Amino acid sequence: MPRWLPRALVLALALYACFQLGSWAFHQLIGLLVNVLLAFFLALAIEPAVGRMAARGMRRGLATFLVFFGVLVVGVGFVVLLGSMLAGQIVAMVEDFPKYLDALIKWTNVTFHTDLSRVEVQDSVLSSEWLQKYVQNSASGVLDVSATVLGGLFRLLTIFLFAFYFAADGPRLRRALCSVLPPARQAEVLRAWEIAVDKTGGYLYSRGLMALISGAAHFVLFEILEVPYAPALAVWVGLVSQFIPTIGTYLAGALPMLIAFTVNPWYAVWVLGFVVVYQQFENYVLQPKLTSKTVDIHPAVAFGSVIAGTALLGAVGALIAIPAVATLQAFLGAYVKRYDVTDDPRVHGHRRYGEAVVARLQKALHHKKEL
């Protein structure tokens, strides 16, 4: 046996053990790492506001606290406003449920020539096995729902705490990171950091402006149709449609359609049509103008980045995918050399007519020779 073989086996086993230990630790800490990543992007998003306030003489800690306090006030106000709307609407639907049930039973009797009554329907529903199983499962799932809510609140607190430290100690963090790098690398890291702040902050602020415009437009529609809780629904549509990628538009339009349907079924159709038309206006007119200087990426690239981010990190990946890709594109663009494009019709997808005629003649002559 060679003398180096035992050492090689021990080294291989040690490396394998370290790999297994690192893999186990990574899977155990994946939730914390995702929270830290989300907190970092949140800190980048509020960095412009904190930087402006700090440049005017305010301490960074106080400036960060004021920004987070404003975000917290807006978030709590939105939840309270939406919660009051949903509670009032649920109470109204429960009170009107007998009327809806009578109308449904009447339509069923007329259409299918049956002889149903509300008492029979209620007795059959209350005595059904599926209702009893549903009540039992709901009672046993109360603890699970409570644990999920508490876990979500703890995760949100963790994200805000890390984001506060990242934003308040931003200069110290950059200094600590650059202290272990050579001067040339320090300039590149600081440039990447600056681009990330600009793109992430620009993405957030442009989305906020589009949410404000979308909410105002839908508020006018809801007021014209006299849909209940028009302000809350407008805020819901504006925020959800802009800050939830890909499916946010459909989630935002579903709730107003449901509320409008309780007033008049045709109002739900009007809401659906307005949502579709406004979405096209936003995609082709409003969004290119507002995001051309902040997050200038192709719509196909944005869609693909959202899908990739969702596959990697779920909802968090979908949320940070667009600013991350915009940052990477801007950073790489500074190192890619570009040249002037020649004035050739083929660049625009058109072949020159003379070349097309020559190609047809050559093809015909070649075919004739073969015959």
Side-chain angles (χ1 to χ4, degrees):
M1 180 183 300
R3 297 179 59 183
W4 55 266
L5 185 58
R7 295 182 180 180
L9 292 176
V10 172
L11 181 61
L13 291 176
L15 291 177
Y16 179 75
C18 291
F19 173 77
Q20 291 294 332
L21 181 62
S23 177
W24 173 81
F26 177 77
H27 285 88
Q28 294 295 322
L29 298 176
I30 186 65
L32 177 62
L33 296 177
V34 171
N35 291 340
V36 171
L37 180 62
L38 188 58
F40 180 71
F41 271 89
L42 181 59
L44 292 179
I46 66 172
E47 175 66 24
V50 175
R52 291 191 188 97
M53 297 172 69
R56 296 179 180 179
M58 185 179 297
R59 295 178 56 186
R60 287 189 65 90
L62 180 59
T64 306
F65 173 77
L66 292 178
V67 173
F68 272 105
F69 183 76
V71 173
L72 181 63
V73 169
V74 173
V76 171
F78 171 69
V79 172
V80 171
L81 186 63
L82 185 63
S84 62
M85 179 203 68
L86 291 177
Q89 196 64 29
I90 290 173
V91 170
M93 292 178 65
V94 170
E95 292 177 350
D96 294 338
F97 181 75
K99 182 175 65 176
Y100 297 148
L101 184 59
D102 290 338
L104 179 61
I105 291 174
K106 182 180 179 181
W107 177 81
T108 304
N109 291 334
V110 172
T111 305
F112 300 101
H113 305 287
T114 58
D115 190 15
L116 299 176
S117 63
R118 188 203 300 177
V119 178
E120 294 177 355
V121 174
Q122 290 177 350
D123 292 340
S124 62
V125 171
L126 294 176
S127 61
S128 60
E129 294 183 359
W130 68 268
L131 181 61
Q132 296 176 0
K133 292 182 180 179
Y134 177 78
V135 172
Q136 293 175 357
N137 294 332
S138 299
S140 62
V142 171
L143 294 178
D144 296 337
V145 173
S146 302
T148 302
V149 172
L150 292 177
L153 292 177
F154 179 76
R155 183 179 182 182
L156 189 63
L157 179 62
T158 303
I159 292 173
F160 272 91
L161 186 62
F162 276 108
F164 179 84
Y165 286 138
F166 286 150
D169 293 338
R172 186 184 304 176
L173 180 62
R174 288 190 289 270
R175 193 180 301 110
L177 182 61
C178 292
S179 63
V180 297
L181 297 174
R185 297 297 181 184
Q186 292 179 14
E188 295 180 0
V189 169
L190 293 177
R191 177 178 176 79
W193 194 296
E194 183 180 2
I195 292 175
V197 169
D198 292 339
K199 295 300 181 180
T200 306
Y203 171 76
L204 180 64
Y205 298 143
S206 62
R207 286 292 175 176
L209 182 57
M210 286 192 294
L212 180 62
I213 297 174
S214 176
H218 287 85
F219 174 75
V220 174
L221 174 68
F222 299 151
E223 283 292 326
I224 293 175
L225 298 179
E226 297 181 354
V227 177
Y229 309 102
L233 289 176
V235 173
W236 164 266
V237 172
L239 292 179
V240 174
S241 62
Q242 300 303 324
F243 290 99
I244 296 182
T246 309
I247 63 173
T249 302
Y250 309 104
L251 293 177
L255 183 59
M257 288 176 56
L258 179 62
I259 303 300
F261 184 83
T262 60
V263 179
N264 190 331
W266 283 106
Y267 288 177
V269 178
W270 279 102
V271 172
L272 176 61
F274 184 83
V275 168
V276 173
V277 172
Y278 181 82
Q279 185 66 26
Q280 303 306 314
F281 167 76
E282 180 182 281
N283 290 338
Y284 295 101
V285 178
L286 188 61
Q287 183 174 347
K289 291 183 178 181
L290 294 180
T291 61
S292 60
K293 295 182 180 180
T294 55
V295 190
D296 187 14
I297 60 177
H298 194 274
V301 177
F303 183 70
S305 63
V306 169
I307 295 178
T310 305
L312 292 175
L313 298 176
V316 176
L319 185 63
I320 67 177
I322 294 179
V325 171
T327 301
L328 181 62
Q329 175 180 303
F331 183 73
L332 294 179
Y335 297 94
V336 176
K337 187 176 181 180
R338 298 182 181 273
Y339 301 91
D340 294 333
V341 180
T342 59
D343 189 11
D344 195 315
R346 289 170 292 185
V347 175
H348 305 285
H350 305 291
R351 297 183 62 185
R352 285 180 288 191
Y353 181 75
E355 293 182 354
V357 173
V358 172
R360 292 195 190 97
L361 290 175
Q362 291 177 351
K363 185 177 180 180
L365 292 175
H366 181 71
H367 183 68
K368 187 175 181 181
K369 290 180 180 179
E370 292 180 350
L371 294 178

